[in-house]
């Protein structure tokens, strides 16, 4: 089934985004004529990637009966210097914290997302070099 | 300069997204264990594409002294049926309304965005078939 987002011009550089019946505002920075009333659009690719793989990992871990942890996903994009300035490299870092976390299950869940389930990862790795890291309580796996 | 989004797990399938110091919630649908507290992450690619090309087009038209119009951008993605369900096709439709709109300038602005300025378009067309349409007062250019 097709998915749709409706992006409506407000004024200056600001747009309303409608997605799944939710709304938020995106805007440019002051430097380029915006008023920073919301985030930049290109960065939504990073957010979409973090959210997509994050939801996969949380679901897979739940099936593995791993539920007691905190998780933050940092996604960084490094744009080319020349227009159209696509991201040439994207890094995803999973930061898990919690007691007695099972590193092999966590690693497996992240791999399953990246290799089988995450559509955003599948698309963006066709355009940029994608690297994945996992840290558990600050220690890189 | 690197760009960053921080995606933090809330509970169930919901995550907080931080991007350019703004926050919003993303979530899965009820069908897959979410509560629809915010939009789905994969759709953010469509929103990011609409916003990126929309900001380009508005900026270019301003330089052409075209400022009196309404603009909505509809972005549709057609996912593959099999996992990881990437979009195989994405369509972007620019809907302009207003009086005496200069169709050749609008066409030029959209082309410049797609071919030269929009980094999101540049990335996503490496992964999906991208089609662009322009309608002015309901008539396709």
């Amino acid at each position: 089934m097709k998915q749709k987002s409706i992006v409506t011009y407000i004024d200056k550089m600001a747009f309303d985004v409608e997605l799944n019946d939710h709304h938020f505002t995106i805007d440019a920075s002051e430097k380029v004529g915006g008023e920073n009333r919301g985030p930049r659009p290109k960065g939504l690719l990073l957010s979409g990637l973090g959210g997509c793989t994050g939801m996969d990992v949380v679901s897979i871990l739940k099936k593995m009966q791993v539920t007691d942890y905190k998780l933050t996903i940092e996604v960084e994009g490094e744009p080319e210097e020349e227009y159209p300035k696509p991201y040439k490299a994207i890094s995803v870092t999973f930061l898990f914290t919690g007691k007695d976390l099972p590193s092999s299950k966590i690693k497996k869940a992240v791999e399953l997302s990246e290799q089988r389930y995450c559509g955003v990862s599948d698309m963006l790795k066709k355009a940029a070099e994608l690297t994945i890291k996992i840290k558990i309580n600050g220690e890189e796996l």
Side-chain angles (χ1 to χ4, degrees), chain A:
Chain A
M1 205 179 70
K2 283 193 184 178
Q3 296 168 8
K4 190 174 188 171
S5 182
I6 298 175
V7 181
T8 302
Y9 186 39
I10 301 172
D11 59 21
K12 295 187 179 171
M13 293 290 276
F15 287 79
D16 172 75
V17 166
E18 180 185 326
L19 181 61
N20 306 114
D21 295 322
H22 298 277
H23 288 259
F24 60 94
T25 300
I26 55 174
D27 198 358
S29 66
E30 286 89 348
K31 267 193 304 190
V32 295
E35 294 182 334
N36 186 30
R37 278 177 271 170
R40 267 24 102 223
K42 191 163 66 186
L44 293 176
L45 271 58
L46 307 176
S47 310
L49 175 56
C52 175
T53 187
M55 288 186 194
D56 285 346
V57 166
V58 160
S59 300
I60 296 166
L61 286 175
K62 192 178 172 195
K63 286 181 191 146
M64 294 170 167
Q65 305 188 322
V66 178
T67 56
D68 194 12
Y69 56 84
K70 289 186 185 297
L71 170 60
T72 293
I73 302 149
E74 292 187 352
V75 189
E76 279 196 329
E78 189 182 346
E80 300 270 10
E81 285 179 22
E82 301 296 323
Y83 279 105
K85 300 187 181 178
Y87 296 128
K88 57 185 169 188
I90 298 174
S91 70
V92 181
T93 306
F94 291 84
L95 301 163
F96 283 88
T97 53
K99 271 180 83 170
D100 302 325
L101 294 180
S103 57
S104 62
K105 287 183 179 177
I106 287 174
K107 191 163 176 244
K108 184 73 189 165
V110 170
E111 281 174 1
L112 279 172
S113 172
E114 296 311 311
Q115 292 166 13
R116 194 178 307 173
Y117 292 113
C118 178
V120 177
S121 171
D122 185 71
M123 285 183 271
L124 294 184
K125 70 189 172 195
K126 288 176 182 151
E129 191 190 347
L130 195 64
T131 56
I132 313 289
K133 282 184 205 167
I134 305 169
K135 291 185 183 178
I136 300 181
N137 297 320
E139 295 252 334
E140 191 166 338
L141 273 201

